[in-house]
Amino acid sequence: MIAIGCDHGGYELKLEIIKYLEEKGYAYEDFGCYSTASVDYPEYGKKVAHAVADGVCDKGILICGTGIGISITANKVKGIRAALCTDCFCAEATRQHNDANVLCLGGRVVGPGLAVKIVDTFLNTPFSNEARHVKRIAQIEAE
Ligand code: RB5
């Protein structure tokens, strides 16, 4: 199950990504927002981050205007490794190296064609499971 959420700055791109998820047959839960009316991104960042951290969803996708505010928010939640990606190289690397569990996108930064390819890369790239990356992720989680 994929958790997806956005603020008003990410709403239009979220619709494009939902279209992709539906075409590919992914199960998803949309945590809002549901229009381009102005809202506060932390509300939606937290909802998606908690759904992933609590194990209700396997991965999350968050979109705000830049992707920055919503990634800062998601990364405050323990167990979340949220990665702001603007290209497929980073989407692949953050799955292989960081085992990122939330993808963040900027609706005012990337166009829908590139965004869908970034999502596809993120969802289809496994974690490498290499010892050095496992160790570094444990270091992130350590108090
Ligand atoms: C909203 O105008 C904008 O600040 C928000 O979408 C995001 O870019 C914040 O980081």
Side-chain angles (χ1 to χ4, degrees), residues 80-128:
I80 292 303
R81 293 176 300 281
L84 171 57
C85 295
T86 53
D87 58 63
C88 294
F89 175 82
C90 289
E92 183 179 58
T94 197
R95 286 290 309 126
Q96 291 173 334
H97 294 201
N98 316 123
D99 197 13
N101 49 15
V102 175
L103 171 66
C104 300
L105 296 164
R108 297 171 183 155
V109 180
V110 289
L114 174 58
V116 162
K117 280 192 180 297
I118 292 171
V119 170
D120 188 70
T121 303
F122 185 83
L123 294 180
N124 290 294
T125 304
F127 176 48
S128 70

Side-chain angles (χ1 to χ4, degrees), residues 7-10 38-39 41 63-72 106-108:
D7 75 352
H8 54 287
S38 183
V39 292
Y41 60 81
I63 314 137
C64 66
T66 58
I68 297 171
I70 215 146
S71 64
I72 292 171
R108 297 171 183 155

Side-chain angles (χ1 to χ4, degrees), residues 13-25 28 116:
L13 183 56
K14 184 177 75 172
L15 297 184
E16 296 291 334
I17 293 169
I18 285 176
K19 206 187 316 170
Y20 157 86
L21 294 175
E22 289 180 349
E23 278 168 13
K24 295 288 177 183
Y28 70 90
V116 162

